[in-house]
Amino acid sequence: MTYLICNAHIDPVWLWRWDEGAGVALSTFRTAADLLDEDPDFIFCHNEALLYRWVEEYDPKLFSRIMAFVAAGRWEIIGGWFLQPDVNIPRGESLVRQVLTGRRFFRSRFGKDPETANNFDSFGHSRGLVQILRQCGYKNYIICRPGKLKYDFDSPDFIWRGYDGSEVIVHRSDENYNSVLGKVKVEITEWCGKNPGDSLFLWGVGDHGGGPSRKDLEGIAELIKEGREIKHATPKDYFDRLNVSGLPVVERGLNRTMEGCYTSQIRVKQRHRRLENDLVMTEIMGSQAALCGLAPYEKGQLDDAWEDLLFAEFHDSLPGSAIQPVEEDTLRTLDHGLDITNRLKVRYFFALCAGEGKVKPGTTPLLVYNPQPFTVKGPVECSFLLPAQLWEIQFSNPVVYCQGRRLPSQAVKEEGNFTMDWCKRVVFEAELPPSSMARFDVEFEVLPGRPLPVQPPQKENIVITTAKSRLVINAVTGLVDSYQVNGKDYLKEGAFSLDIFEDGFNSWSGPFQDTNEFAVPLGSFRLMSRERALAFSGIKGAPVEALHIMEDGEIRTTVEALMEYGDSKACIRYSVNKLNGFLEISLFIFFSETEKRLKLVVPTVFTGAEYLGQTVFGRERLDVCKGEYISQYWSAVSDGRNTVCILNDGVYGSDYANGAARLTLLRSAGYGASKFILGEPFHEPQYQPRMEQGERRYRFIIEAGSAQDLLGGADRRAAVLNMPPYALAYCPSGDGQKPAPLIEIDQENVSLSCFKRSEDDPDSYIVRVFESSGLGTGFTMKFPCLDLSHRDSLRPFEIKTYRAGKDGIRPAVMLEDS
């Protein structure tokens, strides 16, 4: 029997903007409803809460018809997510919210909880998704990508096993997710001839909607009348009949496919990264403020910001395969979410300053909130203004104190360029207690002028030595020749080169797709001449070289290298932390090349090493094949004993060979561009924009040392980079009582996924944690603001959800049903 699953794949955005997508959803659903009226045997299936919301808002009569069809079993709610997102780039918590938001909508409107999830058109699927699906009640999953050539078996059905051992049944739809208008009869006939026995066949015009048509339904009726073993059905009908014994088992992510989407439209990916972390941080701050009676938890506003994030995760928006107006709309949507979180963070920040003492005469108080459930030790930066504008020619050097103890601190260039001793920016070494506000006080020593670093002799390598590390930067190349930690070399000569590779116009993929060779660059950025460097940098006064020391103090030494390639320019900043020896790389790329790919190369000294990376609720070895890989907040090269760990603030694609990790920074492909029926694009006689033209910024932390020391806590340190402490100069009132910390977790391989108010009970809160190293552990969570403590254990990569409140803490399910 062939089970005919009629759907209408509707991209809310892609080669069109969202308003057109809304119109397509309305017309497609209306057509489906009309055909259901005409054909009593027809069943229509559809998912994505966003589209139903549009129908509910813009055509309430149509929505009422759909509700009646669902109640009658004629219209099947499948999937049940908010939309069909990318499922490689979002963090695990973001994917949980995709399901939670969608399922709550469908349950409230239709009373339905689908058992089969589907992401027909997503460009690969992270292995961590399996556990999310199981914990959300799904048994089955339908996909189309990657296609059958990426598997070592022919069966379209298989068991997909997650990091934690949980499993779902996957159907890979080899006939794709849609059909050609008016051709379904022919397509089904051919399919049945090639696939005797039970099979699942997706049909309905898709991408820009359309769904079923009268002609296609008539063709199906003719086939049924001819005695073909086909029937209108739902995914449940197929999976209920499926014999799962003997199915192949897949124990990996369902990747790689359309690898260009790991990098395309990098600004969207970086802005998305920022909002998903801001949302989690704002929920933490809001939960603490509410539990301590200091401010209400603004769930409605947070829900709006979450929906901004979820919409931006659509599988043509976040991967970067849409047109330029959609890129701009997506950035605007993310900015709307960030505006909400920024306003709420400020409200909660001031509330959580309760109990802090008044300003001390002659000082400036700095308040710093740590959202992490563990103590954070490291540099904190904060901008502020002196109490009064000083008209003397002098420099008030800030020195930071904590409870009377002087801390290592360093004045750094303020963000403005107002030449008066007034605006200040300081970086200082802090120890911040878990989920708490910390107080620091700045005092000032008057100097005759701003301290400037001493430049090395011309054409002499720059060497930065600390108690733990030694960095050598080549005066001719501007690249790192050596990086030692505790006397051991970790990087080869020429590290952090910016290499240019040939790419293509295709938004989804390029020459790196399925390659079996380690691609050779076309060239690399080179150090500018002094004259070019001065013209580019805008430095006035005494001339400096293209490679120069930018700042030097108690906390860090920063070296700046100004480079160029073709019409493009770059500023690389190497910053060595004098206290822990770690190396920070900041990049400012001004790109003007077309159909090129830019990579940052990190060549380690290791041989026979593995390349690892963080994924959704897990980590895995990436270099199991050649080509471009996808990972999230960190990747690492490790030989089992020693490791170079690379933390990032919004880069996902990379490749690896011979000990060198090459992080993909950008690719200047076309917008929504692909070779198709009419041949290659860009033959029209007009200017054709490409992606990533202009300024792009990146930040990396390079850690080197023992694999045991670095890999276990990589998720925590990456979390601090991406969700840093919130620092603000503020003079508190001195009123109130200092709030107790929200949560403390004692094990470094237990990560906090969220702390939020529950969906239905304003007096209870949802806490979700997961094991991040693959080792399993016992752990303790303390909730000082609730005067609670909870001891539990996690299997490798296991996710657990709890419900916490003043009446205690107990296990809960991911969708908060109990």
Side-chain angles (χ1 to χ4, degrees), residues 106-329:
F106 286 116
R107 185 179 297 169
S108 68
R109 303 312 195 271
F110 303 102
K112 295 293 184 179
D113 287 319
E115 293 182 353
T116 300
N118 57 268
N119 282 305
F120 298 143
D121 200 20
S122 299
F123 310 142
H125 311 259
S126 175
R127 188 180 177 189
L129 185 59
V130 179
Q131 188 176 182
I132 297 174
L133 292 173
R134 289 301 299 171
Q135 291 201 18
C136 289
Y138 291 104
K139 300 177 181 177
N140 316 303
Y141 189 42
I142 303 176
I143 67 169
C144 295
R145 311 179 194 281
K148 58 185 177 182
L149 295 179
K150 292 295 181 77
Y151 302 84
D152 57 4
F153 52 82
D154 293 328
S155 171
D157 300 301
F158 57 89
I159 297 169
W160 191 20
R161 185 171 295 153
Y163 294 117
D164 70 319
S166 56
E167 297 177 345
V168 293
I169 307 302
V170 176
H171 176 78
R172 183 191 67 240
S173 181
D174 292 335
E175 79 283 6
N176 212 334
Y177 54 77
N178 58 16
S179 54
V180 178
L181 180 64
K183 302 293 184 180
V184 167
K185 182 178 180 181
V186 174
E187 291 175 359
I188 292 174
T189 300
E190 293 177 353
W191 174 262
C192 292
K194 297 176 182 178
N195 298 274
D198 287 350
S199 66
L200 183 153
F201 185 85
L202 297 175
W203 74 278
V205 178
D207 290 330
H208 196 248
S213 71
R214 189 171 287 104
K215 181 177 180 180
D216 285 324
L217 279 172
E218 291 171 352
I220 291 172
E222 292 170 4
L223 290 175
I224 293 174
K225 190 174 182 180
E226 293 171 7
R228 295 275 186 178
E229 290 193 345
I230 61 175
K231 62 179 292 188
H232 294 291
T234 68
K236 188 176 187 304
D237 296 329
Y238 174 76
F239 285 107
D240 283 351
R241 292 284 301 273
L242 180 65
N243 181 5
V244 301
S245 63
L247 286 181
V249 178
V250 175
E251 297 184 275
R252 58 174 174 83
L254 306 182
N255 288 304
R256 295 173 298 122
T257 183
M258 300 188 175
E259 50 76 31
C261 291
Y262 304 162
T263 301
S264 295
Q265 296 183 21
I266 195 67
R267 285 187 303 164
V268 171
K269 294 171 171 62
Q270 292 174 326
R271 201 79 53 90
H272 169 270
R273 172 83 67 91
R274 182 179 166 193
L275 178 56
E276 69 177 355
N277 281 281
D278 255 29
L279 277 163
V280 171
M281 180 173 177
T282 307
E283 288 180 336
I284 289 170
M285 297 177 73
S287 297
Q288 187 173 6
L291 284 169
C292 294
L294 298 171
Y297 187 94
E298 300 290 351
K299 186 175 184 302
Q301 293 186 55
L302 284 164
D303 286 348
D304 288 345
W306 269 108
E307 291 192 11
D308 288 333
L309 183 85
L310 302 184
F311 190 19
E313 289 175 349
F314 178 65
H315 65 255
D316 281 308
S317 303
L318 185 55
S321 51
I323 57 176
Q324 191 172 22
V326 170
E327 177 190 37
E328 294 166 353
D329 289 345

Side-chain angles (χ1 to χ4, degrees), residues 79-98:
W81 293 26
F82 184 74
L83 45 66
Q84 293 187 49
D86 180 89
V87 288
N88 274 317
I89 294 172
R91 61 184 288 174
E93 187 61 34
S94 300
L95 295 177
V96 171
R97 304 304 177 92
Q98 284 282 352

